[in-house]
Amino acid sequence: MPAVRQKLLRWYDTAARDLPWRQTRDPYAIWVSEVMLQQTRVETVVPYYQRFLASFPTPRALAEADEDAVLSHWSGLGYYRRARLLHAGVKEVVTQYGGRIPEDADSRRSLPGVGRYTSGAIGSIAFDKEEPVVDGNVTRVLARLFRIDTPVGASATTNRLWDEAAQLVPGERPGDLNQALMELGATICTPKRPQCKSCPIAGECKAYASDEVDALPVPRARKAPKEVQLAAVVATRGRGSEVEVWLVRSEQSLFGGLWGLPMLGREAVDESDARRALREARISARLDPEPAAQIAHVLTHRRLQIDVFRATAARGTESETLRRFDPQQLGRVGISTLTKKLLAAALPG
Ligand code: SF4
């Protein structure tokens, strides 16, 4: 496919957006950017990426950082598991590879959190390796370019996409070729109203030729988001500027590993669930019988309805999983956007 390759590279040279991670070939910086960009928009990622690298400029700096500090830099980006896997991966780079990200693809792929996509991005962009990448944008471009009409997510489709990407990548500038595919998907070959008339590879595009652009890629069958009812408790000690709030940390919670409110859910929640959430967190407190607020929150696969209860004069014994916080200090620890929202709705005064 030399013609497609050439056209993509020529287009990329003139049309690529100027993004901070495109000004470096540091494999660590590229790793950070790729992890942040998974499921998150470019405009959102830019300031997070800059702050993260300013605080943790090297794999060693990140490996030595406290998990709370890492998660607080991620707070608001969501999908916190990504941050924890990146942290684990970088620790392994330090212990196994002396702080240098391995050039060899098999070693890279063995790092926690580094799948085929992330490994391909680091390998091609930082090390000039002819390794393919397939993400959502590349999937859309390739499905249209080659008229792949099986559903996204089906194993036959995945295999075909990776095969096509692997055939395109060999040659000069493999990293730029991969980025050109991603950039084309992000800016021209968009899900709705793609700009085929301005597309550098319209002449080779099978979907364009057969007028099937809008029908491709064939979406995966979607499950309806699950409705979940939850009771959350804002348990506080003290008053006014002295107030402190109890937070719990559980690997099993919705926001695995982040500090959050005691929370429990079932089909219909009431005060008894809030009481049980306090008991499970080992907090004793005076619970208001009625919720102070009702909050709706949407996650990728779940629609949450949360009754937020207040509990005052709360006592407990601090531990690895239960701690009191001054609400003003919460910016320094990892808490989710949802926890912030619940606290804003129900913290007294
Ligand atoms: S011609 Fe249209 S559908 Fe085909 S790759 Fe270009 S933008 Fe996408």
Side-chain angles (χ1 to χ4, degrees):
M1 275 280 173
V4 169
R5 247 192 140 270
Q6 279 259 310
K7 288 178 181 178
L8 281 169
L9 284 174
R10 217 176 305 139
W11 171 79
Y12 184 71
D13 287 339
T14 58
R17 290 168 295 174
D18 184 17
L19 299 170
W21 45 88
R22 295 205 171 135
Q23 287 151 18
T24 179
R25 298 193 65 183
D26 171 6
Y28 165 67
I30 289 161
W31 186 2
V32 171
S33 73
E34 290 299 338
V35 174
M36 286 187 169
L37 285 164
Q38 287 162 25
Q39 330 252 12
T40 309
R41 296 163 61 83
V42 164
E43 310 82 74
T44 309
V45 166
V46 170
Y48 278 90
Y49 168 85
Q50 287 166 328
R51 270 197 303 271
F52 197 90
L53 284 185
S55 297
F56 314 115
T58 61
R60 202 170 288 279
L62 180 59
E64 287 168 359
D66 182 65
E67 183 167 283
D68 278 339
V70 176
L71 292 175
S72 79
H73 280 73
W74 212 271
S75 176
L77 271 181
Y79 302 96
Y80 297 94
R81 192 164 170 271
R82 295 181 298 178
R84 292 162 68 229
L85 283 170
L86 173 65
H87 198 201
V90 160
K91 283 182 184 170
E92 201 162 307
V93 163
V94 169
T95 54
Q96 303 286 320
Y97 303 102
R100 296 172 69 88
I101 289 150
E103 280 199 36
D104 161 62
D106 288 341
S107 309
R108 237 182 294 127
R109 282 289 296 281
S110 72
L111 296 169
V114 178
R116 186 151 51 149
Y117 170 80
T118 309
S119 177
I122 299 170
S124 62
I125 300 169
F127 299 127
D128 245 345
K129 304 260 185 195
E130 294 172 344
E131 294 178 32
V133 297
V134 177
D135 66 353
N137 285 324
V138 177
T139 292
R140 190 166 51 257
V141 173
L142 296 182
R144 290 171 173 169
L145 177 61
F146 297 110
R147 210 190 147 274
I148 300 172
D149 59 1
T150 49
V152 171
S155 56
T157 313
T158 305
N159 293 340
R160 170 91 192 273
L161 290 166
W162 281 95
D163 283 352
E164 297 291 3
Q167 287 185 45
L168 275 175
V169 77
E172 52 161 356
R173 300 165 59 196
D176 285 349
L177 190 276
N178 282 338
Q179 293 192 87
L181 281 170
M182 295 193 252
E183 187 75 352
L184 191 75
T187 60
I188 301 277
C189 193
T190 46
K192 293 202 180 111
R193 286 193 284 280
Q195 301 163 45
C196 300
K197 291 205 165 40
S198 326
C199 176
I201 52 171
E204 285 76 14
C205 179
K206 293 189 176 161
Y208 189 47
S210 59
D211 199 14
E212 289 172 290
V213 171
D214 292 336
L216 296 172
V218 176
R220 68 178 81 221
R222 283 214 181 276
K223 287 194 210 137
K226 202 171 146 200
E227 302 277 345
V228 182
Q229 304 276 340
L230 292 160
V233 191
V234 175
T236 54
R237 195 177 91 150
R239 288 165 189 276
S241 61
E242 303 284 289
V243 77
E244 290 180 309
V245 60
W246 287 94
L247 297 184
V248 293
R249 174 148 75 175
S250 157
E251 299 297 322
Q252 274 80 50
S253 75
L254 276 176
F255 303 99
L258 293 186
W259 289 100
L261 296 174
M263 215 165 1
L264 268 183
R266 60 188 170 116
E267 272 168 30
V269 292
D270 59 21
E271 176 217 345
S272 67
D273 298 285
R275 211 168 280 293
R276 200 151 59 87
L278 282 175
R279 229 179 12 251
E280 288 191 4
R282 298 177 189 277
I283 298 169
S284 66
R286 211 168 43 231
L287 182 76
D288 289 359
E290 295 298 327
Q294 292 182 311
I295 301 287
H297 191 77
V298 180
L299 300 171
T300 320
H301 304 296
R302 280 181 272 204
R303 211 190 306 271
L304 312 179
Q305 285 294 339
I306 307 166
D307 285 0
V308 196
F309 291 82
R310 281 190 188 132
T312 49
R315 279 176 292 117
T317 307
E318 288 195 298
S319 68
E320 279 287 290
T321 54
L322 176 66
R323 212 193 283 172
R324 278 192 323 266
F325 290 91
D326 171 349
Q328 309 301 326
Q329 309 287 316
L330 284 173
R332 294 200 207 138
V333 293
I335 64 169
S336 68
T337 308
L338 173 61
T339 302
K340 283 185 196 154
K341 196 160 144 184
L342 299 176
L343 285 169
L347 255 185

